[in-house]
């Protein structure tokens, strides 16, 4: 049981991070290469393809981290490590809820003017880099916890 | 932090990160490509391939370095050798499929060497081969995570 939760936690977190790396390195530069009005057209039409896949990555991550934290609770060092990995993912989700989801909704609804797009995309990418860093930290901490 | 731990982190994080990139390509871009009229798909593919092509080598390098290093340092232990070897073999299988099928097909899509009426069938086969690559990446990731739990000190 512990092994299953550990595998879900480590692999799930890193797969989720890989998905975000691809969004950051492939999708965002593509969006930035488009004229702002074309970007808004693309995003309003196609952002659903990104949104519907996120739960596929997120569910195993959360189940694995919660299960690993639960089973390691009596061991102080493991509890600290799994809690730290979980906190990284919670931080990532807070940034997503506070910034990315509302901004994505604005892009999808085309409720921002085209001259705001370049700056908004830069901010979007900068905060996405923070999400990637948090995902990487959670992955590395998970590996260290499994190896303990 | 020991060299073994660094290689293990690169292997156990790098392999699922690479798989996550492949999953996004399959689930997000694959669905997007299939939603496009074939001619429009061919028009946009070269540009999108350029951006994807910048992402994969970064993840691939970390993963291969980690798996090769973990196999090297685990060679003396038969269980370690078997597990890291199996994980690396999955990734080699993935790379063979890429070089034999997905890579050449990408070039054909990008150069518009196939006609729009051939695109739906070609895209279906591309997605099937890509799904096999994702499965191999996931299997390699799980085996690498199991290998991590098999150190005896």
């Amino acid at each position: 049981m512990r092994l299953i939760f550990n595998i879900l936690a480590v692999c799930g977190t890193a797969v989720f991070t890989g998905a975000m790396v691809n969004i950051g390195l492939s999708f965002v530069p593509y969006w930035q290469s488009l004229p702002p009005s074309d970007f808004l057209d693309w995003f309003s039409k196609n952002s659903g393809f990104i949104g519907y896949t996120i739960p596929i990555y997120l569910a195993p991550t959360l189940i694995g981290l919660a299960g690993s934290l639960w089973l390691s609770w009596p061991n102080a060092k493991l509890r600290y490590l799994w809690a730290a990995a979980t906190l990284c993912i919670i931080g990532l989700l807070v940034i997503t809820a506070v910034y990315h989801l509302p901004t994505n909704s604005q892009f999808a609804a085309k409720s921002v003017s085209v001259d705001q797009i370049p700056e908004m995309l830069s901010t979007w990418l900068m905060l996405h880099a923070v999400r990637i860093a948090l995902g990487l930290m959670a992955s590395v901490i998970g590996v260290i916890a499994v190896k303990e | 932090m020991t060299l073994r731990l660094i290689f293990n982190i690169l292997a156990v994080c790098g392999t699922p990160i690479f798989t996550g990139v492949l999953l996004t390509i399959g689930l997000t871009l694959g669905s997007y490509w299939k939603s496009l009229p074939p001619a429009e798909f061919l028009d946009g593919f070269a540009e999108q391939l350029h951006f994807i092509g910048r992402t994969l080598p970064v993840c691939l390098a970390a993963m291969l370095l980690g798996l090769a290093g973990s196999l090297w340092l685990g060679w003396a232990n038969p269980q370690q050798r078997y597990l890291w070897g199996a994980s690396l073999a999955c990734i080699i299988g993935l790379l063979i499929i890429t070089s034999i099928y997905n890579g050449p097909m990408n070039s054909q899509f990008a150069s518009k060497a196939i006609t729009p009426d051939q695109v739906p069938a070609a895209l279906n086969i591309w997605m099937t081969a890509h799904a096999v690559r994702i499965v191999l990446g996931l299997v390699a990731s799980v085996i690498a995570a199991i290998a991590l739990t098999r150190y005896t000190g």
Side-chain angles (χ1 to χ4, degrees), chain B residues 85-103:
Chain B
S87 185
L88 190 56
C90 288
I91 296 303
I92 290 169
L94 184 160
L95 294 176
I96 288 172
I97 293 172
T98 303
S99 62
I100 288 177
Y101 182 75
N102 293 84

Side-chain angles (χ1 to χ4, degrees), chain A residues 4 9-10 22 26 46 70 118 123 140 145:
Chain A
I4 292 169
V10 172
N22 198 16
S26 299
N46 301 306
W70 169 49
T123 308
V140 171

Side-chain angles (χ1 to χ4, degrees), chain B residues 103-114:
Chain B
M105 274 311 296
N106 288 349
S107 301
Q108 283 196 289
F109 288 145
S111 63
K112 300 186 186 179
I114 63 171

Side-chain angles (χ1 to χ4, degrees), chain B residues 16-98:
Chain B
I17 284 174
F18 183 73
T19 306
V21 172
L22 292 183
L23 256 176
T24 323
I25 292 170
L27 294 176
T28 302
L29 281 175
S31 306
Y32 167 60
W33 290 334
K34 283 185 158 189
S35 76
L36 296 173
E40 204 176 314
F41 160 73
L42 289 174
D43 284 342
F45 188 83
E47 193 182 359
Q48 285 155 18
L49 185 66
H50 161 71
F51 291 113
I52 298 166
R54 296 191 320 183
T55 308
L56 283 172
V58 178
C59 306
L60 186 63
M63 173 179 66
L64 289 177
L65 183 63
L67 287 173
S70 296
L71 178 61
W72 169 49
L73 292 179
W75 193 261
N77 177 323
Q79 196 177 19
Q80 285 290 308
R81 188 169 64 235
Y82 171 76
L83 287 167
W84 290 118
S87 185
L88 190 56
C90 288
I91 296 303
I92 290 169
L94 184 160
L95 294 176
I96 288 172
I97 293 172
T98 303

